[in-house]
Amino acid sequence: MSIDLRANPFFLDDTQIKWVEDTLASMTDEDKLHQLFCLVLYNDDEEYCRYLGEKIRPGGFMNRAMSARECVSAVSRMQKYSRIPLLVAANLETGGNGIVKEGTMLGKPMQVAATGDAEHARRLGEVCGAEGAAVGCNWSFAPLVDIDYNWRNPITNVRTFGSNVETVEKMGVSYVKAIQKHGVAAAIKHFPGDGCDERDQHVSASVNSLSCEEWDKTYGRVYSSCIEAGAKTVMVGHIMQPAYTRYFSPDTKDSDMLPASVSPELVSGLLRKKLGFNGLIITDSTAMAGLAAHLPREYMVPRTIAAGCDMFLFTKNLEEDISFMEKGYREGVFSRERLDEAVTRILALKASLGLSNEKENSFDDLSVVGCDTHKAWSDECASRAITLVKEEKGVFPITPERFKRVLFCPLDNKGNTAEDGTPNAKLRKALEERGFALTVFTPQNVTEGNMASVSEMAEKYDIIIYSAMIRARYQPVGRIEWSSPQGANIPTLCHTIPTVFISLESPYHLADVPQVRTYINCYSSAQNVIDALMEKLEGKSEFEGVSPVDAFCGKWDARVSFGPECEALKNK
């Protein structure tokens, strides 16, 4: 076993190393096998916490967002019933709201990147670390350091710091350094890197198609910098990387290509040997179809550990997956040495986070959760990130004095609504509160031949405002689904009536509305983003954001404004 517990990222002293060694020696094989599992909690049910802590004895668990009170209760109960202190993880991608409902959402990663200032990534790590630690969290499944190369990818999108390698590297390193100062381990993800493919790992294994040389200059550069910065853990995705798989195993057939989570070439070869990562490696959720549908489960479960991963995230069926892991060990799918190596890293991570010092969890002052400083940082990020991608001269400022009558066109995943409580409703309300007279577009009773005439629409409305709240996840890129017939709510009047398209989430809607002349990306639909947006629409605040991705999606026609003033039309 070649683990340097004194080196990056553990940096253990003699006392901590002795705790790791003594704890490992006190464990049965069953204890060790159960320690490989990182499970999930949705509430603080005491009987279930006791069952997990005393019978299952996992190495850790992830908390889904709860109230602060419930989170503290869940963590306290789990630690109380566990002989060995537990890793407590959360998806702290956007702020403390990833573990507690009262937590601060500082901003989506792409929103943070749009500020152009790594200080906001440092603040994101600071918020996640301080608020997470306050409720007992010691492990963040973030930062997401994928590179958003493919605008059609339905899962990376605003969860990334964008498509610029230097920006992703700088933001990722800033987050890692900041959060780990609070005793919360960072998990850089999703190795070997998402964002090349257009598929979502939740539904299918995806492919990082770069050559070895291209990977080294991009994803490899980012991972190397984050590892050097001290990232304690790496989360491995259900992503194939054919070039590096064949670099380590030249004769690999297409039919033998495996997602990284079960690939010795990518975990033990690329991550451990080539990049020299010495910390803990965990799989992404093993319930995802990207892995679960790729291999028979009984075969797959133990092979995550055989490949070089140290922890197995989530289960499809708890008892069955544990039995698959135990059976694989008995049958030699992975050795005792590999088991001890994995558990040593789990214990070393715990020791490096101070968990070996005391079993009882001590909670910090909860007043940091959602505190005024963090909210002020969130407001600043919200204002600085909003990006004016495309502008028609003369549209701004948008005030009731200039554009009183507004046709408001909401777009969302459920149809085209602005129901109360939805982000589109927040924008509708903000416009109404400022004195605009809104008419919400509804497609009912609209058919070919009886649509309102252009002159009638120009007579009724001073401006048309689109509000798009379409999340990309689980569907192609969050593409817009227009109303029937013939896309009745498509922006076809932008040459006659000033039209503003506002995307509250996805930065890529210009692919569907290239004709729009004024287009704004917000990257988030939080209330403080809506408030900052209104300031900018009214001309009270400047647009400062710079797009971290190609908002034009590589479409030349999205960059231009066609209309009656174009020379080709004038010359006809």
Side-chain angles (χ1 to χ4, degrees):
M1 192 190 313
S2 56
I3 306 173
D4 188 348
L5 299 182
R6 299 182 190 278
N8 182 16
F10 298 125
F11 301 110
L12 301 190
D13 59 27
D14 289 344
T15 301
Q16 292 169 319
I17 291 173
K18 185 175 187 307
W19 179 84
V20 170
E21 293 173 344
D22 289 349
T23 303
L24 183 69
S26 73
M27 299 170 73
T28 65
D29 282 354
E30 182 180 88
D31 290 331
K32 295 173 184 177
L33 289 164
H34 287 215
Q35 193 76 186
L36 302 175
F37 287 85
C38 183
L39 306 178
V40 62
L41 272 188
Y42 292 92
N43 56 55
D44 64 342
D45 180 79
E46 180 150 20
E47 285 307 307
Y48 188 63
C49 289
R50 183 168 188 161
Y51 163 73
L52 290 182
E54 293 184 347
K55 182 177 180 181
I56 302 301
R57 308 183 305 284
F61 66 96
M62 192 192 90
N63 256 27
R64 293 296 185 186
M66 310 173 185
S67 69
R69 180 208 61 77
E70 193 176 17
C71 184
V72 167
S73 173
V75 173
S76 297
R77 287 172 176 172
M78 285 296 298
Q79 297 288 19
K80 178 178 70 173
Y81 292 124
S82 299
R83 181 176 74 85
I84 299 172
L86 291 161
L87 295 168
V88 180
N91 269 339
L92 300 178
E93 293 183 11
T94 63
N97 63 315
I99 189 166
V100 288
K101 294 176 181 177
E102 302 94 325
T104 306
M105 191 195 97
L106 186 125
K108 302 286 180 69
M110 192 172 289
Q111 180 186 353
V112 169
T115 67
D117 187 351
E119 167 63 13
H120 290 275
R122 187 202 68 78
R123 290 178 180 179
L124 177 59
E126 178 76 20
V127 169
C128 293
E131 297 192 6
V135 294
C137 177
N138 52 43
W139 195 5
S140 170
F141 288 164
L144 191 149
V145 292
D146 296 321
I147 305 174
D148 208 36
Y149 281 135
N150 191 332
W151 68 270
R152 294 181 176 86
N153 188 296
I155 190 65
T156 50
N157 208 275
V158 293
R159 293 179 68 203
T160 73
F161 290 117
S163 59
N164 180 276
V165 175
E166 184 178 353
T167 298
V168 175
E169 176 187 30
K170 193 163 49 176
M171 299 282 176
V173 166
S174 295
Y175 178 103
V176 167
K177 289 181 176 179
I179 195 169
Q180 293 195 163
K181 288 180 180 178
H182 290 273
V184 179
I188 47 179
K189 66 182 185 183
H190 303 84
F191 185 85
D194 206 350
C196 290
D197 204 337
E198 59 189 49
R199 288 168 292 186
D200 175 0
Q201 297 171 66
H202 293 81
V203 297
S204 174
S206 62
V207 178
N208 182 309
S209 55
L210 300 185
S211 68
C212 294
E213 294 76 15
E214 291 169 331
W215 190 91
D216 289 346
K217 294 175 183 177
T218 54
Y219 294 92
R221 171 179 165 178
V222 172
Y223 274 95
S224 293
S225 294
C226 289
I227 289 168
E228 185 178 345
K232 291 180 181 290
T233 73
V234 171
M235 179 178 284
V236 175
H238 313 312
I239 303 166
M240 291 177 273
Q241 218 297 328
Y244 260 115
T245 299
R246 291 195 169 102
Y247 174 88
F248 289 102
S249 296
D251 296 329
T252 303
K253 300 175 183 176
D254 286 352
S255 58
D256 293 333
M257 198 67 63
L258 295 171
S261 38
V262 284
S263 168
E265 293 83 5
L266 299 179
V267 178
S268 298
L270 180 56
L271 183 53
R272 284 277 186 234
K273 292 179 183 177
K274 185 174 176 65
L275 296 185
F277 181 62
N278 187 48
L280 182 142
I281 300 173
I282 185 170
T283 70
D284 201 347
S285 168
T286 61
M288 290 182 183
L291 181 61
H294 198 84
L295 295 168
R297 196 158 187 88
E298 182 175 355
Y299 178 95
M300 174 270 289
V301 170
R303 278 166 177 78
T304 59
I305 307 303
C309 295
D310 303 306
M311 290 194 85
F312 185 89
L313 182 59
F314 305 161
T315 59
K316 283 184 77 72
N317 180 281
L318 180 56
E319 288 80 6
E320 184 178 59
D321 279 356
I322 290 174
S323 73
F324 287 157
M325 189 71 77
E326 292 172 338
K327 183 172 183 285
Y329 174 64
R330 289 194 306 270
E331 294 179 351
V333 174
F334 59 96
S335 66
R336 177 183 293 274
E337 182 182 17
R338 173 79 270 271
L339 176 61
D340 283 352
E341 180 184 57
V343 176
T344 296
R345 282 200 170 89
I346 295 168
L347 296 174
L349 176 62
K350 293 178 180 185
S352 76
L353 297 171
L355 300 182
S356 59
N357 297 334
E358 54 182 32
K359 184 172 182 296
E360 292 298 322
N361 210 79
S362 58
F363 296 100
D364 296 336
D365 184 356
L366 293 183
S367 64
V368 73
V369 176
C371 68
D372 290 343
T373 297
H374 293 175
K375 288 178 180 176
W377 287 353
S378 177
D379 290 345
E380 183 181 343
C381 181
S383 180
R384 288 190 58 183
I386 297 172
T387 306
L388 178 59
V389 177
K390 197 173 178 182
E391 177 186 5
E392 181 178 8
K393 292 181 180 179
V395 170
F396 297 108
I398 299 172
T399 63
E401 292 73 30
R402 298 188 68 220
F403 302 105
K404 178 73 174 180
R405 301 166 303 167
V406 178
L407 177 60
F408 184 70
C409 299
L411 305 169
D412 61 24
N413 295 89
K414 298 178 182 178
N416 304 305
T417 65
E419 298 172 356
D420 289 345
T422 64
N424 285 335
K426 293 178 186 178
L427 180 54
R428 181 200 68 203
K429 182 181 178 183
L431 290 164
E432 290 173 338
E433 288 177 344
R434 286 160 176 79
F436 291 94
L438 261 67
T439 299
V440 179
F441 174 84
T442 54
Q444 287 86 357
N445 301 318
V446 176
T447 60
E448 292 97 331
N450 75 342
M451 297 180 187
S453 66
V454 173
S455 57
E456 179 185 350
M457 296 294 282
E459 186 68 29
K460 288 177 65 175
Y461 302 111
D462 302 314
I463 194 168
I464 301 173
I465 296 179
Y466 282 82
S467 176
M469 177 54 202
I470 301 174
R471 288 194 171 95
R473 195 170 179 177
Y474 299 140
Q475 61 184 37
V477 206
R479 302 297 287 271
I480 300 169
E481 185 174 344
W482 302 106
S483 299
S484 296
Q486 307 296 330
N489 55 343
I490 291 175
T492 58
L493 296 172
C494 53
H495 311 300
T496 307
I497 305 171
T499 300
V500 177
F501 193 104
I502 300 164
S503 175
L504 297 177
E505 290 276 348
S506 173
Y508 296 124
H509 287 313
L510 264 176
D512 286 330
V513 290
Q515 71 275 23
V516 168
R517 299 175 172 200
T518 301
Y519 179 92
I520 299 166
N521 275 330
C522 295
Y523 314 104
S524 167
S525 57
Q527 185 61 57
N528 62 352
V529 175
I530 302 290
D531 295 339
L533 171 67
M534 290 307 305
E535 292 283 304
K536 297 181 190 304
L537 294 180
E538 294 175 298
K540 297 176 181 177
S541 171
E542 296 294 323
F543 287 94
E544 299 178 72
V546 178
S547 181
V549 294
D550 175 15
F552 302 99
C553 307
K555 311 292 185 185
W556 65 267
D557 55 314
R559 294 179 177 273
V560 301
S561 295
F562 298 98
E565 68 274 16
C566 73
E567 292 300 318
L569 193 61
K570 287 179 183 178
N571 295 331
K572 290 294 182 182

